[in-house]
Amino acid sequence: MEFRLIDGKGKRFTFPVNPEEVTISRQKGFDTTTILSRGEFDFPQGNKIKEISFSSFFPKEYDEAFCKGGKKNLPNPQTAMNKLNDFLASKTPLRFIITETAVNVPVFVSSHQSIFRGGEPGDVYFDITLRTWSELKVAKIGGIKGAVTNKKPRTDMKEKNKTYTVKPGDSLSKIAKLELGDSSKWNQIYKLNQKMIGKNPNAIKPGQKLVLS
C-alpha cells in the first residue's frame, strides 16, 4: 500500500512512511433558518466537501522496516516538506491515491504542520489535511451559458373587469346596489355598457353580461 499525490503534469510524490491511520470526514450540508418564534430549522443542501487527514514523518535515514519505494527514492526531509508547501500554495488540484483501496480522488492540500523532535535529529514529522475537489459545471441552456429559464407561467397581475349577468327582474339601480353597494352608481354601469343596452337604460335583458368596473 502506498500513499501518493500526483500533480497536473503527472509527477508522483509518494509518502515514504505510511501513516498508522487515515481520517476521512464526511458531513451533510444544511441551511439553517430561524422562523419567527418557531425556532431554527435545518434544510438539507447536499454533501459537504470531504476532508482527509493523516500524520506521518519523513525520515532522514532509510529503514526497510517502514520506508516505501526503496532507499534511492527516499526524499530529503526538508525537500519533502518544501514540496508539501508547494502543494499547499498550488491552485491546481492534485490526485490523491491510496493503492489497494478505493481512494482515488482530486484534492487540494488545505493545511499541514511540521513537527521537529529533539530526540530524532533530521526527521520531520507532519500533519496534513486534504479537501476533495469537484469541478463546477455550468449548465448551458438556450445557447446562453449559465442561463436559467423559468417555465412556470408568470402570474397575470392585471386587475380583471368585474362583470354581472342580468337576471329577470333586475334593474341597473338594483345591480348597482347589490354589486357596488350604492344604487346611485347605476349610471356608471350604464355608461360602461351603453353600446349593448342602447339609449334606454331600463331596457336591460336577462342574459346580458354587464361590465361593472
Side-chain angles (χ1 to χ4, degrees), residues 21-204:
E21 62 181 16
V22 177
T23 301
I24 301 178
S25 176
R26 301 177 179 87
Q27 291 184 335
K28 192 172 188 66
F30 289 93
D31 181 14
T32 302
T33 302
T34 301
I35 303 178
L36 299 178
S37 61
R38 300 296 299 276
E40 291 186 341
F41 293 84
D42 282 334
F43 298 91
Q45 300 294 317
N47 294 327
K48 285 188 174 182
I49 292 172
K50 298 182 182 69
E51 287 193 340
I52 304 171
S53 57
F54 58 90
S55 303
S56 187
F57 73 104
F58 296 115
K60 182 179 180 181
E61 302 294 336
Y62 179 80
D63 188 329
E64 63 180 7
F66 51 76
C67 290
K68 298 287 183 179
K71 186 175 182 179
K72 65 178 181 178
N73 294 319
L74 181 70
N76 175 275
Q78 191 57 55
T79 301
M81 291 310 301
N82 289 339
K83 189 63 176 177
L84 291 188
N85 285 333
D86 291 342
F87 288 154
L88 182 64
S90 175
K91 295 182 179 180
T92 304
L94 309 164
R95 181 157 293 276
F96 178 60
I97 298 174
I98 305 178
T99 62
E100 302 177 37
T101 74
V103 177
N104 185 335
V105 290
V107 298
F108 280 103
V109 176
S110 62
S111 68
H112 81 85
Q113 299 180 54
S114 303
I115 305 164
F116 299 90
R117 297 180 179 177
E120 303 176 42
D123 292 348
V124 180
Y125 288 76
F126 67 89
D127 300 323
I128 189 169
T129 300
L130 313 173
R131 286 170 65 86
T132 56
W133 174 84
S134 59
E135 184 178 3
L136 177 63
K137 295 182 178 180
V138 181
K140 189 174 182 181
I141 303 174
I144 302 176
K145 206 170 189 179
V148 178
T149 57
N150 184 2
K151 294 184 178 180
K152 186 177 179 180
R154 182 180 296 178
T155 303
D156 187 1
M157 299 301 292
K158 293 182 180 179
E159 185 178 354
K160 294 182 179 180
N161 292 332
K162 186 176 181 181
T163 61
Y164 177 84
T165 302
V166 178
K167 299 179 180 61
D170 279 344
S171 65
L172 292 183
S173 60
K174 180 179 178 182
I175 295 171
K177 176 67 175 178
L178 180 65
E179 297 295 325
L180 303 180
D182 186 350
S183 60
S184 66
K185 290 185 178 181
W186 69 267
N187 193 44
Q188 172 184 318
I189 300 174
Y190 176 62
K191 288 180 179 179
L192 291 172
N193 300 275
Q194 186 173 4
K195 187 175 180 180
M196 178 174 58
I197 297 172
K199 295 182 179 181
N200 183 0
N202 295 318
I204 59 175

